[in-house]
Amino acid sequence: MTLDLFAHTNDSPDSRATQNVQADELGPGAFVLRGYAGASLDALQGDIDGVMAQAPLRHWLTPGGKRMSVAMTNCGEVGWISDRMGYRYGTRDPLSGKAWPAMPASFVKLAREAASAAGYADFAPDACLINRYTLDARLTLHQDKDERELGAPIVSVSLGLPAVFLWGGLQRGDRTRKVRLEPGDVVVWGGPSRLVYHGIASVEGSFDADAVRFNLTFRKAR
């Protein structure tokens, strides 16, 4: 199916709005916008590097004390944190005690426009979780439910190596689908699908130490 950009808002179109977006529908209110961020990948990676220079990647611990295989950091007004105290959002990086880096303008623009393309007007993310996946990293099925504002969608942007995305149901035991994500693909979900279980089954690529996948996940946390 295709989606018309800015069909649901009064935003002014940019270069991505000059043509329809090819979208795969995952469920009610959930879409993969194929190649949507493709033209912005180099600029996005540069801004990712800038954020990581201020707030380095780290492997959070789960509440049970296990080290996550995905390395993470944050930018925006609040950042997602996991440790033995649980999952939560905080305004400061616990490693440095400083506020999380500001969300780059390129991130905000992409997140707002992708949400708009999927039918979610006026998305205003205040948190961006940056994940780095090596070939051995996985993200088990989970719900994004630590946010106070569950009426806002999730916007997830893929960079680097391809990955196999898991898309399940509203219960952990529901059947999952495997969806291949290429660099530049953007997944947007909300509404009836806002609390769907999802994860990353695998990252695809050669065994190159420098080959990784990055993912940007935008949320309205507060």
Side-chain angles (χ1 to χ4, degrees), residues 7 22 29 38 47-48 96 98 104 122 124 136 159 176 197-198 203-204:
Q22 182 63 40
D47 282 335
I48 290 171
S96 67
K98 298 179 181 179
D122 303 320
D136 59 348
L159 302 90
T176 60
Y197 278 87
H198 58 282
V203 176
E204 301 178 355

Side-chain angles (χ1 to χ4, degrees), residues 44 55 130 132 161 187 201:
L44 292 172
I130 301 174
R132 186 194 67 187
L161 294 175
V187 186

